[in-house]
Amino acid sequence: AQARRVFLAGNSLPERWQGRENFTILETGFGLGINFMATWLAWRNDPSRCVTLHFISLEKHPFNVADLVVAHAGWPEFAELAAELHGNWPPLRAGEHRLELDGGRVILTLVFGDAVEALPALDVAVDAFYLDGFSPARNPDLWSPALCRSLARLAAGGATLATWSVAGSVRRALI
């Protein structure tokens, strides 16, 4: 519910990807992948969806596939998607890992490493951002003005951003 309310609705999805050839989302903090699977399911259920959905997610501390299997059992609505994700899960090595899912129509690029270091190396036009790192108090680097400048550099025209955080430091960094 949080993924749908905060990230999908906060970025006016699925409406914004409808009728487009490609749509790119960048997320800070893959975690268990719930935001990704909620987005993938919404895309799948949308008859007017874009042809290709590219989802880029940065994760400093990725889970191994065995832990994902256990965790994902708590979300039966994602069972089919989770099984495909598990079957394609990359080794836990730093760097970029490109997964082609749903017959190649959903591209998941996982970047295992520090987002502050990885973002400057990315060269992509992002249509929507999901800011979902740990809390600003616990992980201030993921909410810093420097990181926000990196996000701004990647933003396509008309890009949107959504986050659950309302901390004053986050609002100032985004400005």
Side-chain angles (χ1 to χ4, degrees):
Q2 179 183 0
R4 287 187 295 274
R5 185 179 67 255
V6 173
F7 297 108
L8 287 159
N11 280 292
S12 300
L13 300 174
E15 297 82 10
R16 290 188 51 239
W17 67 41
Q18 290 178 345
R20 294 187 48 178
E21 186 70 24
N22 301 299
F23 195 86
T24 300
I25 297 168
L26 186 141
E27 174 186 47
T28 57
F30 188 77
L32 293 173
I34 302 305
N35 295 333
F36 167 67
M37 289 190 294
T39 302
W40 184 7
L41 185 61
W43 175 86
R44 242 191 192 187
N45 291 336
D46 181 7
S48 299
R49 66 183 170 257
C50 55
V51 176
T52 304
L53 177 65
H54 188 190
F55 196 101
I56 304 163
S57 192
L58 301 111
E59 180 55 57
K60 189 173 184 177
H61 303 288
F63 286 93
N64 65 49
V65 71
D67 290 337
L68 288 175
V69 168
V70 171
H72 292 159
W75 285 278
E77 66 270 29
F78 298 138
E80 181 183 348
L81 304 178
E84 187 171 349
L85 179 63
H86 302 155
N88 287 280
W89 195 247
L92 300 183
R93 287 192 308 263
E96 287 188 27
H97 305 273
R98 181 182 169 104
L99 285 64
E100 295 189 12
L101 306 166
D102 219 316
R105 296 175 298 156
V106 174
I107 308 300
L108 172 60
T109 300
L110 292 166
V111 181
F112 292 160
D114 190 315
V116 174
E117 296 170 9
L119 276 172
L122 291 179
D123 183 21
V124 62
V126 176
D127 299 299
F129 294 91
Y130 293 6
L131 269 60
D132 194 26
F134 280 116
S135 74
R138 292 195 60 206
N139 195 1
D141 290 344
L142 267 184
W143 305 93
S144 69
L147 184 119
C148 290
R149 283 190 294 277
S150 291
L151 298 177
R153 180 186 64 79
L154 299 174
T160 57
L161 179 143
T163 183
W164 51 266
S165 178
V166 295
S169 62
V170 172
R171 290 193 311 260
R172 287 187 295 279
L174 289 171
I175 290 169

